[in-house]
Amino acid sequence: MKQDEVDKLIADAVAESKKSRRSKWHRGNSASNGIQTARKVLNWTFMLGFLVAVIIYFVLPEQRMLFFCIGFSAIVLKLIEFYLRFMF
């Protein structure tokens, strides 16, 4: 093999490697549409739950248990969304 052929093979292999790594880590290329939709729903539900927890904290200060239940539930939803973001 000539040096030009070897250089072309190496350049093609590097380009293919970069292309496969880019598609794995860049948004939207590796994740399916269903997972993206689930992430959006979980994220919006988290934001709504967090907002409700903050409102309960200030409006109903005697209802601490309700505040903690809703707040921790919202955090669990965010952790599930976080898992989906990095695992799929």
Side-chain angles (χ1 to χ4, degrees):
M1 290 183 106
K2 294 182 181 179
Q3 184 65 31
D4 293 339
E5 294 173 352
V6 172
D7 290 341
K8 184 172 179 352
L9 284 173
I10 292 172
D12 290 342
V14 168
E16 183 66 30
S17 175
K18 284 183 180 179
K19 183 179 177 184
S20 67
R21 274 188 276 136
R22 186 179 318 129
S23 66
K24 180 179 178 182
W25 294 108
H26 286 329
R27 174 172 273 196
N29 291 339
S30 65
S32 68
N33 194 21
I35 292 175
Q36 291 287 48
T37 303
R39 282 188 54 222
K40 287 180 185 177
V41 169
L42 286 170
N43 202 30
W44 278 103
T45 308
F46 159 74
M47 288 190 281
L48 182 64
F50 179 73
L51 181 66
V52 168
V54 169
I55 290 172
I56 287 173
Y57 181 79
F58 289 111
V59 174
L60 302 170
E62 66 278 354
Q63 295 291 330
R64 294 283 185 220
M65 185 57 75
L66 182 62
F67 163 73
F68 285 125
C69 289
I70 292 175
F72 286 134
S73 299
I75 290 171
V76 167
L77 290 175
K78 187 61 179 178
L79 289 173
I80 293 169
E81 188 269 333
F82 184 77
Y83 173 78
L84 289 176
R85 180 188 329 162
F86 289 108
M87 293 299 158
F88 298 103

